[in-house]
Amino acid sequence: MKKQALLLAPAAAAVCLGMAAAPAAHAADSSTSYQATLQSINGSGASGTFWLKLTGNQAVITEKTTGLAATFMGAPYPHVQHIHGGAMGMCPDMSADKNGDGVISTTEGAPHYGGIVTTLSTSGDTSPASGTNIKIAPSGGSYTYQRTITLDSTTIADLKNGSAVIVVHGLDPSKLSKQAQGEKSDLVPSLPLAATSPTLCGKVVNSQMSGMPTGGVQTGGGGTSGLQNAGLFYAAGVLALGAGGTLAARRKFGKQR
């Protein structure tokens, strides 16, 4: 009997150790899900949904949009999009339109949703530095976007404290007031106001979803298809941003902390 007990003891100890280690392993693999309902802003008529599953600093993102401005001068309309944060954690209403042109510009909306903390690009850089890079922005009137990216501590903090907001940019200029149609972007003066103004906005909240939607960036709308003709998007190739334009955009459009 004693010999049998001695043989069983190591096995029992191993089971106990496994049970003790299980919670730690589970904690290491635990994830938090977030979502946002993307709603029309500036009368765009667009809509969308956004999901994010965060494990450590790795975020699996799935987003679906529809009703966006689709083309301009024969090219797919690129829609730069970001996680904004560090402010009130909300989408602005028309009271944010301080100059009365009928458009909430990006800087007019910033007190509500804050500056860029992560750029939701289709490839490459996801920092605020790429905030106005249309070459890596989803494009077209509707798209499904999916990408796994690494989030920095600032973005993770904004998700956890409820101040993260998803903003998609790019309006149909033909739907703007005559005054707004004649105005330049508040971020990149070489662009029209419509190019960088918000078209969709949604506050990010904790989600009870058990799983994430599947799908990928569609090359016909959410990818980079057609961007080889981006010079047609606005006359004289104004979307080919130079270093000066990018620097100016970063100063106005980047982190406001």
Side-chain angles (χ1 to χ4, degrees), residues 155-237:
T155 306
I156 293 173
D158 287 327
L159 288 169
K160 291 182 176 180
N161 67 27
S163 64
V165 178
I166 306 303
V167 183
V168 180
H169 303 261
L171 297 170
D172 180 348
S174 68
K175 294 182 178 180
L176 305 187
S177 68
K178 183 170 291 187
Q179 178 185 345
Q181 287 183 27
E183 293 175 342
K184 300 298 183 181
S185 166
D186 52 333
L187 307 177
V188 187
S190 62
L191 302 180
L193 178 66
T196 58
S197 294
T199 186
L200 281 173
C201 185
K203 178 180 176 62
V204 182
V205 297
N206 280 89
S207 172
Q208 301 303 315
M209 292 175 57
S210 58
M212 297 290 293
T214 59
V217 178
Q218 300 173 347
T219 57
T224 57
S225 174
L227 289 184
Q228 65 274 18
N229 296 320
L232 296 175
F233 181 42
Y234 288 111

Side-chain angles (χ1 to χ4, degrees), residues 62-80:
T62 302
E63 175 196 26
K64 297 183 179 182
T65 67
T66 188
L68 297 166
T71 61
F72 193 89
M73 297 185 71
Y77 199 128
H79 295 280
V80 293

Side-chain angles (χ1 to χ4, degrees), residues 109-123:
H112 292 77
Y113 48 65
I116 301 171
V117 291
T118 294
T119 297
L120 299 175
S121 57
T122 57
S123 63

Side-chain angles (χ1 to χ4, degrees), residues 32-36 50-55 58-62 83 120 149 151 155 159 166 204-205 207 209 212-213:
T32 305
S33 294
Y34 300 89
Q35 68 182 73
F50 176 91
W51 301 270
L52 185 153
K53 184 176 182 180
L54 182 65
T55 305
Q58 297 299 296
V60 178
I61 297 172
T62 302
I83 302 175
L120 299 175
I149 62 176
L151 299 183
T155 306
L159 288 169
I166 306 303
V204 182
V205 297
S207 172
M209 292 175 57
M212 297 290 293

Side-chain angles (χ1 to χ4, degrees), residues 2-4 12 21 34 52 75 86 90 97-98 126-127 140 167 177 189-190 195 208 220 228 238 255 257:
K2 290 182 178 180
K3 183 177 181 180
Q4 184 178 13
Y34 300 89
L52 185 153
M90 60 186 294
D97 174 22
K98 300 304 182 183
T126 60
S127 76
V167 183
S177 68
S190 62
Q208 301 303 315
Q228 65 274 18
V238 292
K255 296 181 182 180
R257 293 178 181 277

Side-chain angles (χ1 to χ4, degrees), residues 11-27:
V15 170
C16 291
L17 287 172
M19 292 176 65
H26 177 74

